[in-house]
């Protein structure tokens, strides 16, 4: 099994985490109120692409491309997030690409005047956890002045302590990434920029949330022969199945909203290892996130001596109708999920699996 990087929540961009979390005044459905940005109530776009001469003269500026979009959600696209979230809209969206990066990062927030009447004074765009996305002002030339941009807008709160100073500085924006002067641009320009965040690969087919229906059973798996196991001595998994059967279908039908599919969808994963001939099955509860399903181990069907809620696996669609399963942090039952062997990143060669469709009988309990 070849290992490759798998997007976790942080890797997918902080904006992805915001999609389902903004409430109240966060939604643009409350009405476009900032006439300075949008005099006629239409979506508005501002941006700037810095040339090599500018970047050479400002070595502490990491941002090479920056766009700010005010209005309806420009990020929605056919991916794994629930269809109910596709209409989620809120006021401000910022997208930046730093020097040398192949893809941009983005974040969203809600923008309002900082005054009692909400109609005057400075404009602040807030984020979750009382964070500031940026402050906004339009100059007499119609340019958007974007200031107070936090260097850690794409990082989780407290990440400096978690990552360490050197890694934090590498991932954060630069010391001169602030006070941007952005030119008015057609909304289509911003939409094209946001389309670079997570382009859909047509070769992979439709998202899993479209391929699998809420009331549809499925079975995927792989059996590794003796030759494979001999050439992969660090692989524990001898056989693996990923499925939704009658129990998982009934669980979703009894309590979850089809409009939010695949959020709340249960899957079961059965494994046998070279050490143990017996099959072990673990249930996971999934939610759509960017281009993958993020699935947390559930204790509903088993008793555990530890909290296994942080034990997560990830599902993605693969080429030619396959699905990919990632196990970056020892979250499959090839080890005891409460043992020391399950602490930290997966140490064995059991990190990424390419699974093929199988008849439902191959996943029978």
């Amino acid at each position: 099994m070849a290992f490759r990087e798998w997007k976790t929540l942080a890797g997918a961009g902080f904006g992805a985490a915001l999609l389902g979390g903004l409430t109240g005044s966060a939604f643009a459905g409350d009405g476009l109120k900032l006439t300075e940005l949008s005099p006629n109530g239409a979506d508005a776009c501002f941006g700037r692409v810095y040339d090599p001469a500018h970047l050479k003269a400002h070595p502490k500026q990491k941002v090479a491309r920056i766009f700010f979009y005010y209005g309806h959600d420009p990020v929605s696209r056919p991916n794994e997030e629930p269809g109910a979230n596709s209409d989620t809209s809120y006021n401000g969206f910022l997208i930046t690409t730093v020097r040398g990066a192949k893809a941009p990062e983005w974040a969203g927030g809600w923008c309002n005047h900082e005054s009692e009447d909400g109609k005057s004074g400075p404009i602040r765009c807030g984020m979750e956890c009382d964070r500031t996305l940026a402050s906004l002002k339009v100059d007499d030339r119609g340019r958007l002045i974007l200031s107070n941009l936090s260097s850690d807008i794409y990082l989780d709160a407290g990440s400096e302590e978690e990552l360490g100073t050197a890694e934090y500085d590498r991932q954060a924006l630069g010391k001169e990434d602030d006070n941007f002067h952005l030119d008015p641009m057609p909304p289509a320009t911003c939409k094209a920029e946001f389309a670079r965040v997570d382009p859909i690969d047509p070769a992979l087919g439709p998202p899993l949330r479209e391929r699998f229906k809420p009331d549809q059973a499925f079975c995927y798996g792989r059996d590794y022969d003796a030759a494979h196991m001999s050439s992969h001595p660090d692989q524990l998994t001898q056989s693996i199945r990923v499925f939704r059967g009658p129990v998982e279908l009934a669980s979703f039908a009894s309590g979850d909203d089809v409009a939010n599919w695949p959020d709340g969808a249960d899957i079961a994963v059965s494994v046998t290892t070279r050490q143990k001939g017996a099959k072990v099955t673990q249930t996971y509860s999934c939610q759509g996130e960017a281009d993958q399903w993020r699935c947390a181990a559930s204790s509903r069907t088993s008793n555990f001596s530890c909290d296994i809620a942080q034990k997560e696996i990830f599902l993605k669609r693969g080429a030619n109708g396959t699905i990919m399963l990632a196990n970056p942090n020892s979250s499959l039952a090839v080890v005891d999920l409460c043992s020391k062997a399950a602490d930290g990143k997966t140490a064995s060669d059991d990190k990424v699996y390419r699974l093929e469709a199988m008849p439902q009988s191959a996943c029978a309990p």
Side-chain angles (χ1 to χ4, degrees):
M1 290 178 293
F3 172 70
R4 59 189 180 89
E5 284 297 321
W6 206 270
K7 283 194 296 188
T8 61
L9 182 61
F14 186 71
L18 284 170
L19 276 175
L22 296 176
T23 57
S25 62
F27 293 100
D30 293 341
L32 295 172
K33 302 171 184 177
L34 303 179
T35 56
E36 302 95 320
L37 305 186
S38 176
N40 59 1
D43 294 353
C45 173
F46 304 84
R48 187 170 178 182
V49 177
Y50 291 95
D51 59 27
H54 177 97
L55 295 175
K56 184 177 181 180
H58 296 79
K60 294 183 179 180
Q61 177 182 323
K62 292 184 180 181
V63 171
R65 302 171 65 91
I66 179 170
F67 294 83
F68 187 87
Y69 192 81
Y70 176 69
H72 296 87
D73 182 358
V75 188
S76 291
R77 55 200 181 275
N79 52 33
E80 301 298 353
E81 287 160 5
N85 283 343
S86 62
D87 293 329
T88 298
S89 301
Y90 36 99
N91 300 116
F93 298 81
L94 177 72
I95 185 168
T96 61
T97 304
V98 298
R99 307 176 192 230
K102 295 181 179 179
E105 294 183 283
W106 70 276
W110 54 97
C111 305
N112 295 292
H113 286 286
E114 289 189 300
S115 61
E116 290 186 5
D117 61 7
K119 299 178 181 179
S120 60
I123 300 172
R124 174 184 176 271
C125 296
M127 300 170 68
E128 285 189 320
C129 303
D130 199 28
R131 303 173 76 192
T132 294
L133 175 64
S135 296
L136 309 178
K137 181 181 179 181
V138 178
D139 67 14
D140 54 7
R141 296 170 54 184
R143 297 180 304 176
L144 180 67
I145 302 175
L146 191 150
S147 59
N148 295 324
L149 181 62
S150 300
S151 60
D152 62 351
I153 58 170
Y154 303 124
L155 299 172
D156 294 333
S159 57
E160 184 169 10
E161 180 178 345
E162 179 182 341
L163 297 173
T165 301
E167 182 62 18
Y168 175 85
D169 289 343
R170 189 188 71 82
Q171 294 189 26
L173 297 182
K175 296 184 182 301
E176 294 188 14
D177 288 315
D178 200 7
N179 295 314
F180 293 100
H181 290 63
L182 311 182
D183 297 318
M185 295 185 173
T189 302
C190 277
K191 290 182 179 180
E193 194 71 12
F194 278 98
R196 298 175 57 227
V197 171
D198 185 22
I200 295 300
D201 184 353
L204 299 181
L208 296 181
R209 66 175 175 83
E210 295 180 6
R211 189 191 302 182
F212 304 138
K213 307 302 181 185
D215 59 353
Q216 171 192 351
F218 64 73
C219 172
Y220 282 75
R222 189 167 177 182
D223 298 314
Y224 297 95
D225 59 24
H228 177 98
M229 297 300 290
S230 178
S231 63
H232 294 77
D234 293 330
Q235 178 180 326
L236 303 178
T237 308
Q238 193 160 22
S239 179
I240 182 170
R241 299 288 187 271
V242 177
F243 60 96
R244 295 184 78 233
V247 173
E248 292 74 33
L249 298 181
S251 174
F252 186 84
S254 67
D256 290 284
D257 184 359
V258 172
N260 287 313
W261 170 260
D263 284 3
D266 282 351
I267 63 168
V269 181
S270 294
V271 293
T272 58
T273 66
R274 62 169 81 219
Q275 294 93 343
K276 298 178 181 179
K279 178 172 61 177
V280 179
T281 301
Q282 174 60 46
T283 301
Y284 299 79
S285 181
C286 302
Q287 64 179 29
E289 177 189 287
D291 62 347
Q292 63 193 4
W293 287 16
R294 185 186 187 100
C295 304
S298 169
S299 59
R300 275 183 277 180
T301 57
S302 304
N303 293 321
F304 289 89
S305 60
C306 66
D307 179 8
I308 62 169
Q310 300 303 314
K311 295 294 181 180
E312 295 174 327
I313 60 173
F314 303 86
L315 296 182
K316 271 188 179 182
R317 61 194 187 280
N320 302 317
T322 62
I323 64 172
M324 305 295 295
L325 183 153
N327 174 41
N329 295 308
S330 297
S331 301
L332 284 181
V334 293
V335 295
D336 181 345
L337 297 185
C338 291
S339 67
K340 290 184 178 180
D343 290 342
K345 295 185 179 300
T346 304
S348 63
D349 190 12
D350 297 87
K351 302 180 182 75
V352 179
Y353 304 80
R354 185 185 299 275
L355 308 177
E356 297 181 347
M358 292 185 165
Q360 200 66 29
S361 59
C363 290

